[in-house]
């Protein structure tokens, strides 16, 4: 008389001396759950250890590529398009450098309203990335339009300094 595998339970008590229940490899659903668990664990490990953070070289290349791209074309601003910080962040993400997933980039306004010696013809932004010690200070001119109710088109000039602003 042959044993039908469909009559086997999906979970059985462990034979390792514990009272835990484990997947039953004698049941087709138990086998599917075993294989699915292994594939899920392998996918999770791949996701965790895939290139999800910047290296300093990748970050430096991305900043310089983004600056070149921003200076190469004119940009139109209005009240709904966002400011220079958003423009810089988008250019960094579109640079083609860096990690394929994750890789958080931060673009912070570095203008000090209390600095009397600050150049009013330049907006400064500090660019950093998660898990990277490098920072870049971008000086952008002309300054960002205060309120752009209608479309304003500008050509940007950007200088890059390594280090914090």
């Amino acid at each position: 008389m042959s044993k039908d595998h469909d009559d086997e339970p999906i979970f059985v008590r462990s034979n390792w001396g514990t009272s835990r229940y484990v997947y039953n490899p004698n049941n087709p659903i138990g086998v599917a759950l075993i294989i699915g668990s292994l594939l899920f664990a392998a996918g999770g490990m791949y996701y965790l250890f895939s290139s999800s953070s910047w290296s300093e070289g990748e970050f430096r290349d991305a900043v310089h590529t983004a600056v070149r791209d921003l200076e190469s074309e004119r940009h139109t601003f209005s009240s709904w398009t966002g400011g220079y910080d958003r423009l810089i962040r988008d250019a960094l993400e579109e640079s083609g450098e860096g990690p394929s997933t994750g890789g958080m980039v931060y673009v912070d306004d570095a203008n000090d309203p209390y600095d009397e010696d600050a150049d009013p013809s330049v907006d400064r932004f500090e660019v950093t990335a998660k898990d990277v010690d490098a920072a870049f200070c971008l000086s952008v001119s002309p300054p960002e339009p205060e309120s752009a109710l209608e479309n304003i088109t500008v050509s940007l000039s950007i200088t890059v300094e390594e280090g914090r602003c």
Side-chain angles (χ1 to χ4, degrees), residues 64-86:
H64 289 287
T65 300
V67 167
R68 261 193 318 274
D69 292 346
L70 289 171
E71 288 181 325
S72 69
E73 58 188 56
R74 296 171 58 81
H75 302 278
T76 303
F77 290 93
S78 64
S79 59
W80 57 270
T81 58
Y84 286 171
D85 55 344
R86 182 174 179 178

Side-chain angles (χ1 to χ4, degrees), residues 7 53 58 114 117 125 163:
D7 291 342
S53 62
E58 287 174 332
Y114 302 109
D117 297 329
F125 296 91

Side-chain angles (χ1 to χ4, degrees), residues 31-135:
V31 170
L33 289 171
I34 291 169
I35 292 170
S37 298
L38 292 172
L39 291 174
F40 181 75
M45 294 300 283
Y46 175 77
Y47 177 77
L48 287 174
F49 292 103
S50 66
S51 178
S52 63
S53 62
W54 295 88
S55 72
E56 289 197 30
E58 287 174 332
F59 186 51
R60 182 178 300 105
D61 291 345
V63 169
H64 289 287
T65 300
V67 167
R68 261 193 318 274
D69 292 346
L70 289 171
E71 288 181 325
S72 69
E73 58 188 56
R74 296 171 58 81
H75 302 278
T76 303
F77 290 93
S78 64
S79 59
W80 57 270
T81 58
Y84 286 171
D85 55 344
R86 182 174 179 178
L87 189 68
I88 294 168
R89 188 177 307 105
D90 290 347
L92 285 165
E93 290 173 2
E94 295 168 3
S95 70
E97 306 287 340
S100 58
T101 60
M104 295 295 298
V105 175
Y106 306 101
V107 180
D108 298 313
D109 185 3
N111 290 326
D112 184 359
Y114 302 109
D115 185 4
E116 296 173 2
D117 297 329
D119 185 357
S121 66
V122 195
D123 280 343
R124 294 166 45 116
F125 296 91
E126 190 169 275
V127 180
T128 55
K130 183 180 178 185
D131 300 330
V132 177
D133 291 333

Side-chain angles (χ1 to χ4, degrees), residues 56 59-60 64 134-138 159-165:
E56 289 197 30
F59 186 51
R60 182 178 300 105
H64 289 287
F136 294 89
C137 184
L138 305 183
T159 58
V160 179
E161 296 175 26
E162 225 171 296
R164 299 204 173 271
C165 292

